[in-house]
Amino acid sequence: MEWRGRRGSRNVEDRRGMGRAAGAGGMGVVGVLVVLAVGYFFGIDISPIVGAIDDGGRQGEPRALTQVEQEIGQFVSVVLADTEEVWAGVLPGQAGTRYQDPGLVLFSGAVQSACGGASAAMGPFYCPNDRKIYLDTDFFRTMAGKMGAGGDFAYAYVIAHEVGHHVQNLLGTLSEVNGLRARVSQRDSNRLSVLTELQADCYAGIWARQASEQFGSIEEGDIDEAINAAAAVGDDTLMESAGRAVVPDAFTHGSAAERQTWFKRGFASGQMGQCDTFGAAGM
């Protein structure tokens, strides 16, 4: 992916050098489990992959970011800027809704959002209450080292997926889904979560297509990286990696095959109308 030397977004807030877990106040494992129970986060529980969460290791004075961290921040900023340009055209053109840019917060270890406290063990997440995406960039290292899903465009897919949740929020999809989830069984609630995630994957595919056409930033192999990343964060893949039995009724994000299919559907069509996961499920 060609990203160096390109425009970055002004909507990135970097909290990675702020000392103790960006003000999260020492959340611990119990706090993570509480956060994971909140439907509107739509984060991925990667704690079985990364192991136990050490909440005590973040105490300290503010620090300067390393050169690698600064470069990752620049990368995230460029990707976010690309999503801003793409959705500023796609959303009003296809859905009749004006696009409003989300914020993106970079943090280390744990963070406070308008949706509550969260740990890096959740993975990246979107909070509709403040319309911000939260990302611990160490997640990229986890993707590359423990999930077999490295590469710039794989990381860009993650950001584009969370922006997809922002699009859902602007359209009222998130509030509608969360209202439904509060009134149905756990099994049906999980399925609604899966359909929400798959739609965000489809929206990420739309972004990838538009980024290729508008910016010419996609190189050979980039789409394969994104498809591989979609598989790596499938519920069945994560369960197997953690040594657990695969239980489809417990899925909250979709299987590897589902996530790949819907990303590719968005990329192939470029149309939001092709991303109606709820309609496809008969809902």
Side-chain angles (χ1 to χ4, degrees):
M1 177 181 179
E2 292 289 347
W3 65 270
R4 290 178 174 81
R6 300 179 53 224
R7 181 185 77 86
S9 173
R10 297 179 179 179
N11 296 308
V12 177
E13 176 187 350
D14 199 337
R15 302 183 192 174
R16 292 176 295 172
M18 291 177 61
R20 181 181 177 85
M27 223 173 86
V29 176
V30 173
V32 174
L33 296 177
V34 171
V35 167
L36 288 171
V38 181
Y40 45 60
F41 273 96
F42 298 110
I44 302 169
D45 181 12
I46 59 169
S47 54
I49 296 176
V50 300
I53 303 164
D54 180 7
D55 187 56
R58 294 289 183 177
Q59 183 73 47
E61 297 296 322
R63 62 178 179 82
L65 299 179
T66 66
Q67 183 174 349
V68 171
E69 288 174 322
Q70 292 178 32
E71 184 172 90
I72 291 174
Q74 292 166 3
F75 165 77
V76 169
S77 179
V78 169
V79 173
L80 186 64
D82 283 359
T83 67
E84 292 166 354
E85 291 191 39
V86 165
W87 285 108
V90 171
L91 196 60
Q94 296 187 20
T97 300
R98 184 176 69 89
Y99 187 66
Q100 302 171 56
D101 297 341
L104 191 152
V105 177
L106 299 175
F107 71 95
S108 295
V111 70
Q112 283 284 8
S113 75
C115 294
S119 162
M122 276 189 58
F125 66 91
Y126 172 72
C127 174
N129 293 354
D130 57 17
R131 296 186 173 183
K132 291 181 180 180
I133 295 160
Y134 290 82
L135 171 65
D136 185 330
T137 53
D138 280 350
F139 181 69
F140 296 155
R141 186 169 57 186
T142 300
M143 287 178 65
K146 297 189 177 183
M147 302 171 74
D152 286 348
F153 206 74
Y155 309 146
Y157 151 76
V158 169
I159 298 167
H161 172 92
E162 298 305 328
V163 171
H165 286 316
H166 178 62
V167 171
Q168 292 172 319
N169 193 32
L170 295 178
L171 294 173
T173 305
L174 290 189
S175 59
E176 184 176 355
V177 167
N178 283 313
L180 288 171
R181 291 182 70 192
R183 302 194 299 270
V184 298
S185 67
Q186 185 62 55
R187 176 180 176 179
D188 289 342
S189 175
N190 289 345
R191 187 56 185 162
L192 285 166
S193 177
V194 167
L195 296 175
T196 306
E197 295 296 332
L198 296 180
Q199 186 176 67
D201 281 331
C202 191
Y203 288 165
I206 291 176
W207 166 79
R209 180 189 179 101
Q210 294 291 336
S212 177
E213 294 177 353
Q214 292 185 34
F215 316 124
S217 57
I218 294 180
E219 302 173 303
E220 184 177 356
D222 280 346
I223 297 302
D224 289 338
E225 283 185 4
I227 292 172
N228 181 52
V233 292
D235 285 313
D236 50 347
T237 304
L238 293 173
M239 288 177 177
E240 289 173 352
S241 297
R244 298 175 178 173
V246 175
V247 182
D249 285 348
F251 288 1
T252 57
H253 288 70
S255 69
E258 287 176 320
R259 302 199 70 168
Q260 288 178 315
T261 295
W262 283 98
F263 174 85
K264 289 189 285 187
R265 184 165 177 166
F267 182 77
S269 70
Q271 298 296 313
M272 296 181 69
Q274 293 296 312
C275 295
D276 185 6
T277 54
F278 302 95
M283 303 184 69

